Amino acid sequence: MSDSDERFEFAGDAADREYGSVALVAGCIVAVILATTLIPAAASVGLGGAPAESLIPVPPGADQRSGGGNSGGGFGTGDGFGALNLGNRTSVGGSLGESDGNPFRSQNTEVHFQVRSEESGYWRTGAYDTYTGDGWSQSGTSDATAPVEGRQVRYRVDLARPTTSAPAVWRPLRVDGPDSLELTDGGLARADEPLPEGTSYVGVSRKPPRDPEMLRATGRDYPDAIERRYTKLPPSSAVSLRPFTNNVTEGADTPYETAVRIEEWLEANKEYSLNVSQPSGDHVAREFVTQMDAGYCEYFATAMTAMLRSQEIPARYVVGYSTGQQVGANTFQVRAMNAHAWVEVYFEGVGWVRFDPTPGTERLQQEEQSYEESGEPGEYSPQEEGSPGETFSPDPGRNNGTATATPADPGGDDRTVVTPQPTPNTPGGEDDTPVPSDPADPSMSDIEVTLNRTAVPGAVVEVSVTVGAQPIVGALVEFDGEPIGRTDRGGTVAGRVPYTENLSVNVIVGRTVDSEAPSGAALSMAEPLSLPPPDADSLVARAQPDNTTRSFDVSTEATLSVSGDVATGETALVTATVDGVPVENARVTLDGEPVARTDDGGQARVRLPGSPGNVTLGVDRDPVAGSQTLRLAGLTVSAEPIWPLPVAGTPVEVSARLGNDSVAGAPVRIGGERVGETGVDGTLRTRLPLESAVPIAVETDGQTARTTVSNPIANAAGVVVAALAVLVGAAVTVGRRSLRPRSLVRSLAVPLRTAGRLAVRAFVGAAIAAAARIERTLDHLAALVSGERSPAELVRAFRSWVAAWAARLRRPVDRRTPSNGRGTPADGDGSGSAEDDAAHVTIREAWGRFLGTVSVNRPWTKTPGQLADHAVSADGLPADAVATLRDEFRAVEYGPRSPDDSAPAVEAAIDRIERAIEPAESSGDAADAADGEGDASAADGDAERGAD
């Protein structure tokens, strides 16, 4: 092939490759156009139940930055601190707010906030209504409906970390704190800007009723808006969860029973573990229920919420913190590891009630272990209330489980089967002849009549009529003679139990036996017929009605549940039930007096008496009756002064209590003027006014308690008099001693300076002694190393040293004179020689003689230097002799000099001092004698003048 041909072929190949690249680029452009056109349309309708937007890669966090009511997305929006900073969306199982992982998996023991509260609770920070398959989001303001309000609780929160989602007890009524903190319409405490650590606020909430009996009596008549919003599920989740949950909750008649069944199944079949991997799919609840063996709070709460919604029961996903650690009276410390998720279930006529499906004991044991490993002081042993009727702690022995529901279960052990002897009867009395027995025609004694639950007045029960294993179709069933209907193809019929002590169930069966009917076919029911003509050949047997009667005991003991504040003057909600069935139209009595009647839900509102004491609440509708005794606590108030005595103008602490419980938010009045209200712990600190007697009153729940603080003015006057007496006494003392203020200051300064000098000398002496001891010890060790001394010799030397010190400590010391610098006691009983002791005594005697010559009162309060200065300047003693005596005395008593070396100089000095004062004493004696003679002659002259 020529070169030109080769170049032509190469050019052709290049052109082909260029055309292919152009075609590839064009195809990519077309694909992008189709994707941008079709995917948004598909997202609006969904593809197979999965969000179509999931097909497009999204940068991390982009889904949380777009849309929604909050600018932030997931937990913390990057700020951390567990569940204190929430967004409007959250995933389940992923990283939700802390840089080191999911806050619900965190076992960090750092304190997030502290609560002082009248009682414990779960500290709620957020709620989510829309299940997305892999997480939750908020579609709008949370519902805060509360048809029934429970007990009021007050609490104070002190933040230890910044927050925008402030913890509160459900359901909050108000929060008092920084201006930026507000309560939303959905019952969430929110701040526009992060509240800094150290911020405090006070909340007031109404906790919903949690009595299992009250909840068991509720039905399914939910508000339309709540049912639409809080029962939604993605179609694929609903399809997969509904059949499974149907099996778990089979036979549960009420929403409460359904919730209990789901919670018990989760706790029994799923383990608690923080070491789980995030589900790979987009349906967390389905995967956790059907595939995973373990999880933590997010998984349990998500699964229970979705399972409840599959049963058309409104439920929502809630986050916040569990109770935390109680560190004092009414004080709870809540840490990062207490971040938690749970479920709120809506009950007809009650509102949102907390359920916690996470295994509580296992969770608290994990927290306890983390607390111990962190090295935090003290023990971690909380006790929490999860679902209604449930408490748990790290110690399984202290727990009680969720109140067990009593669901109707046709195939379980709860069914009641009674098969007494039949009572044949023919309606109208036309024919009382028993049906003859026939092997092919079962006798009425073979019929079984069963109920699917315990007979309770007002309950709808299902009656099953069977013979052998076959249902009887079309049988007429009567309750106490009143027909309730005919059995269906399954041999069942439902009816409401009347108010009676014994239920009589009468079953009437009219049999027509077809000669061509197959063996074992269900018996058919016809209207009662007369006997057919003798020549009829279509029947081989007669047709006539037969009946059987069964009796069932009926429960008639009513249970009363009281919700709200059980206190004087308050209105409480009373719910009357029998085995979970409301007692309708029953009379409610208070101490025997009728006060109300129950409605269709067995409820009635009753205003409690205004005076404290025990009251009996009763309900009756013959033959149903029940009663409960309520204790209405009395209000008491006390006032304790902060000072030992109540003094006008000083603080006093006012405490209010209802029985054994502190009263928060009670107004306090002093002398009729309101001065504040009690705090969370039921106390208020205020000041006593200037009055002779201070009346203090506290009001709450229609009660007023009073106390009086006596004699605050008299006590104040006594304090003033005592203070004046002290001042006068001090002035008199100063006056008697002729001390001027300046000299008083100087006299006080002298002992202070002396004490300082002695302290310095003691420190220096101790340091010198320690250095000497260290030097001697090093010498001993060096001798041991060199072999000059044996270990035994060192031990003996050490024992001798210890014995010598012990002897010195046991030796009595004369505290009137100081010891010398070597630690020798003043009495001379040291370990030195007899000559040394004698010289020491000589020096001290000389110093004592010197003190006798000095004109100073209480010389023991002066230093040797001060005494020497006074002797020279005031007494005129020879300066050189006084200086020698002073220096030698100091060197022996406070220094290392030997008494033998100083004794001669001391003796010479004291001799000179004493010789110096002898002439003065002699001249003084002569002057005294002359004065005496003059006085005598003067006396004689006076006598003579008196004689004249």
Side-chain angles (χ1 to χ4, degrees):
M1 182 180 296
S2 64
D3 292 342
S4 60
D5 292 336
E6 290 179 357
R7 286 194 298 270
F8 181 81
E9 183 178 359
F10 177 79
D13 293 341
D16 291 339
R17 287 195 297 269
E18 186 174 349
Y19 293 150
S21 300
V22 172
L24 179 61
V25 172
C28 291
I29 294 174
V30 172
V32 170
I33 295 173
L34 291 175
T36 56
T37 304
L38 297 179
I39 288 180
S44 65
V45 297
L47 293 175
E53 61 265 26
S54 63
L55 301 176
I56 305 175
V58 180
D63 59 334
Q64 298 175 355
R65 292 191 296 267
S66 62
N70 280 350
S71 60
F75 282 79
T77 62
D79 295 331
F81 305 125
L84 288 177
N85 295 277
L86 303 181
N88 64 331
R89 301 185 65 181
T90 175
S91 61
V92 174
S95 178
L96 301 185
E98 293 185 343
S99 59
D100 59 346
N102 188 331
F104 298 115
R105 297 174 66 177
S106 172
Q107 291 301 290
N108 192 317
T109 57
E110 289 185 354
V111 176
H112 277 194
F113 57 93
Q114 183 166 291
V115 184
R116 296 191 67 190
S117 175
E118 295 176 86
E119 56 186 79
S120 63
Y122 276 31
W123 319 111
R124 186 178 186 270
T125 58
Y128 296 86
D129 63 307
T130 302
Y131 177 55
T132 61
D134 62 349
W136 293 88
S137 66
Q138 296 172 346
S139 64
T141 302
S142 299
D143 174 76
T145 304
V148 175
E149 294 185 342
R151 290 187 57 188
Q152 178 175 291
V153 58
R154 294 172 62 92
Y155 46 93
R156 174 191 173 95
V157 179
D158 298 311
L159 296 174
R161 292 290 184 272
T163 180
T164 56
S165 304
V169 175
W170 180 255
R171 170 183 177 258
L173 301 179
R174 73 172 191 269
V175 288
D176 300 324
D179 294 338
S180 60
L181 181 63
E182 296 180 350
L183 200 62
T184 69
D185 293 338
L188 299 174
R190 290 289 183 266
D192 295 334
E193 297 293 334
L195 301 175
E197 59 182 86
T199 302
S200 298
Y201 60 91
V202 175
V204 180
S205 297
R206 281 279 186 182
K207 302 180 75 170
R210 293 169 53 82
D211 191 320
E213 290 299 323
M214 173 185 288
L215 301 178
R216 187 177 288 115
T218 61
R220 293 176 177 264
D221 189 12
Y222 307 116
D224 292 340
I226 289 177
E227 187 170 10
R228 284 194 307 268
R229 182 177 180 185
Y230 293 99
T231 59
K232 280 184 179 180
L233 282 175
S236 56
S237 296
V239 168
S240 59
L241 285 176
R242 184 171 290 116
F244 187 91
T245 310
N246 288 343
N247 292 332
V248 171
T249 62
E250 182 179 2
D253 281 346
T254 67
Y256 175 76
E257 292 167 355
T258 301
V260 170
R261 290 283 190 90
I262 292 173
E263 179 182 0
E264 290 179 342
W265 183 88
L266 287 170
E267 293 177 341
N269 292 275
K270 303 295 178 181
E271 296 181 358
Y272 178 80
S273 175
L274 297 174
N275 299 317
V276 294
S277 301
Q278 185 175 3
S280 57
D282 293 332
H283 301 283
V284 175
R286 182 181 66 192
E287 290 192 36
F288 182 67
V289 170
T290 60
Q291 299 177 24
M292 298 176 64
D293 296 325
Y296 49 95
C297 60
E298 288 183 291
Y299 293 97
F300 284 92
T302 296
M304 182 172 181
T305 305
M307 293 175 77
L308 285 167
R309 290 187 174 193
S310 74
Q311 302 300 298
E312 303 300 326
I313 296 175
R316 64 189 179 193
Y317 178 81
V318 182
V319 296
Y321 293 82
S322 58
T323 301
Q325 179 188 16
Q326 186 166 359
V327 294
N330 303 108
T331 304
F332 302 88
Q333 209 165 61
V334 186
R335 303 173 182 270
M337 65 181 180
N338 299 128
H340 193 41
W342 60 91
V343 183
E344 285 179 351
V345 185
Y346 189 89
F347 289 93
E348 176 196 351
V350 175
W352 295 100
V353 178
R354 181 182 74 245
F355 276 73
D356 188 354
T358 305
T361 298
E362 291 81 353
R363 174 171 62 83
L364 293 186
Q365 286 174 345
Q366 175 65 59
E367 293 178 1
E368 184 179 42
Q369 177 183 345
S370 301
Y371 186 86
E372 293 175 355
E373 293 175 351
S374 70
E376 294 281 353
E379 296 183 357
Y380 184 83
S381 184
Q383 181 166 321
E384 298 183 353
E385 297 180 3
S387 302
E390 175 191 51
T391 59
F392 49 83
S393 70
D395 180 9
R398 295 165 52 195
N399 300 345
N400 73 292
T402 304
T404 304
T406 54
D409 186 358
D413 297 333
D414 292 330
R415 63 177 181 171
T416 304
V417 179
V418 182
T419 56
Q421 293 298 320
T423 306
N425 184 34
T426 301
E430 296 179 357
D431 186 1
D432 58 358
T433 304
V435 177
S437 61
D438 187 337
D441 183 17
S443 168
M444 294 300 289
S445 62
D446 296 327
I447 293 179
E448 276 193 345
V449 180
T450 60
L451 304 181
N452 68 332
R453 60 158 299 156
T454 303
V456 174
V460 175
V461 298
E462 189 177 84
V463 182
S464 297
V465 182
T466 60
V467 56
Q470 299 297 324
I472 298 180
V473 180
L476 180 64
V477 179
E478 298 176 340
F479 282 180
D480 289 350
E482 295 293 330
I484 63 170
R486 298 183 183 276
T487 56
D488 57 17
R489 291 183 177 276
T492 63
V493 64
R496 187 177 297 275
V497 178
Y499 280 76
T500 181
E501 293 182 346
N502 186 274
L503 176 63
S504 176
V505 180
N506 189 40
V507 178
I508 304 173
V509 180
R511 299 191 312 277
T512 57
V513 183
D514 190 344
S515 59
E516 298 181 358
S519 175
L523 299 178
S524 62
M525 171 67 195
E527 292 292 337
L529 300 175
S530 58
L531 291 176
D535 57 350
D537 58 355
S538 61
L539 296 175
V540 297
R542 68 203 169 285
Q544 72 174 41
D546 293 323
N547 72 330
T548 185
T549 302
R550 305 289 187 262
S551 294
F552 299 89
D553 291 332
V554 179
S555 298
T556 58
E557 184 176 353
T559 300
L560 298 183
S561 300
V562 183
S563 62
D565 292 325
V566 181
T568 54
E570 294 291 330
T571 299
L573 179 68
V574 181
T575 303
T577 60
V578 177
D579 196 18
V581 178
V583 182
E584 304 174 7
N585 196 31
R587 184 180 64 163
V588 181
T589 60
L590 199 62
D591 286 338
E593 295 295 326
V595 292
R597 299 194 76 87
T598 60
D599 57 17
D600 293 344
Q603 297 181 339
R605 294 187 179 274
V606 176
R607 185 169 183 81
L608 300 176
S611 57
N614 292 339
V615 295
T616 301
L617 193 64
V619 63
D620 67 90
R621 179 182 174 181
D622 190 45
V624 175
S627 64
Q628 181 178 349
T629 299
L630 304 179
R631 180 178 178 272
L632 305 181
L635 177 65
T636 58
V637 61
S638 62
E640 297 294 333
I642 305 303
W643 286 23
L645 291 174
V647 177
T650 62
V652 63
E653 186 173 83
V654 181
S655 300
R657 303 186 71 83
L658 272 174
N660 297 324
D661 300 326
S662 58
V663 181
V668 179
R669 299 181 183 276
I670 293 183
E673 180 181 354
R674 176 167 174 159
V675 295
E677 61 181 32
T678 55
V680 172
D681 57 355
T683 64
L684 172 68
R685 181 169 292 191
T686 184
R687 290 187 177 275
L688 293 172
L690 193 64
E691 297 180 7
S692 58
V694 179
I696 299 177
V698 175
E699 304 171 357
T700 188
D701 295 331
Q703 298 186 58
T704 301
R706 293 181 172 85
T707 187
T708 301
V709 179
S710 302
N711 305 320
I713 289 184
N715 293 334
V719 171
V720 172
V721 170
L724 291 176
V726 171
L727 292 175
V728 171
V732 170
T733 302
V734 171
R736 286 180 177 178
R737 295 185 178 181
S738 300
L739 294 177
R740 290 173 298 176
R742 182 175 299 177
S743 62
L744 178 61
V745 172
R746 284 200 299 266
S747 63
L748 292 176
V750 170
L752 292 177
R753 287 198 300 267
T754 303
R757 291 171 181 171
L758 292 177
V760 171
R761 290 172 181 174
F763 176 78
V764 173
I768 294 173
R773 174 49 51 191
I774 293 173
E775 183 179 2
R776 293 290 303 276
T777 301
L778 293 176
D779 292 341
H780 285 308
L781 293 176
L784 176 65
V785 172
S786 63
E788 297 177 5
R789 304 196 69 175
S790 66
E793 290 175 337
L794 286 182
V795 171
R796 286 195 298 272
F798 179 73
R799 289 178 177 174
S800 300
W801 179 73
V802 172
W805 269 104
R808 291 181 181 180
L809 294 175
R810 290 193 298 269
R811 185 182 303 123
V813 178
D814 185 0
R815 299 186 182 276
R816 292 173 298 176
T817 57
S819 63
N820 62 19
R822 296 183 300 276
T824 305
D827 57 4
D829 294 336
S831 57
S833 64
E835 292 80 1
D836 186 58
D837 290 344
H840 208 156
V841 171
T842 299
I843 293 173
R844 290 181 177 175
E845 288 178 350
W847 184 259
R849 288 156 58 187
F850 167 71
L851 294 180
T853 65
V854 180
S855 59
V856 175
N857 293 328
R858 298 184 299 170
W860 59 87
T861 64
K862 308 295 183 180
T863 65
Q866 292 173 330
L867 293 172
D869 293 342
H870 183 86
V872 173
S873 61
D875 299 330
L877 299 180
D880 54 345
V882 170
T884 299
L885 181 61
R886 177 196 64 194
D887 294 341
E888 295 298 331
F889 178 75
R890 282 177 174 174
V892 172
E893 291 297 328
Y894 306 114
R897 182 172 299 181
S898 171
D900 292 335
D901 298 337
S902 299
V906 169
E907 291 177 352
I910 191 65
D911 288 342
R912 287 188 59 192
I913 293 171
E914 290 177 343
R915 284 197 305 271
I917 64 175
E918 285 178 357
E921 290 179 351
S922 300
S923 61
D925 293 341
D928 291 342
D931 291 342
E933 293 177 357
D935 292 341
S937 59
D940 293 342
D942 292 341
E944 291 176 356
R945 286 190 296 273
D948 294 341

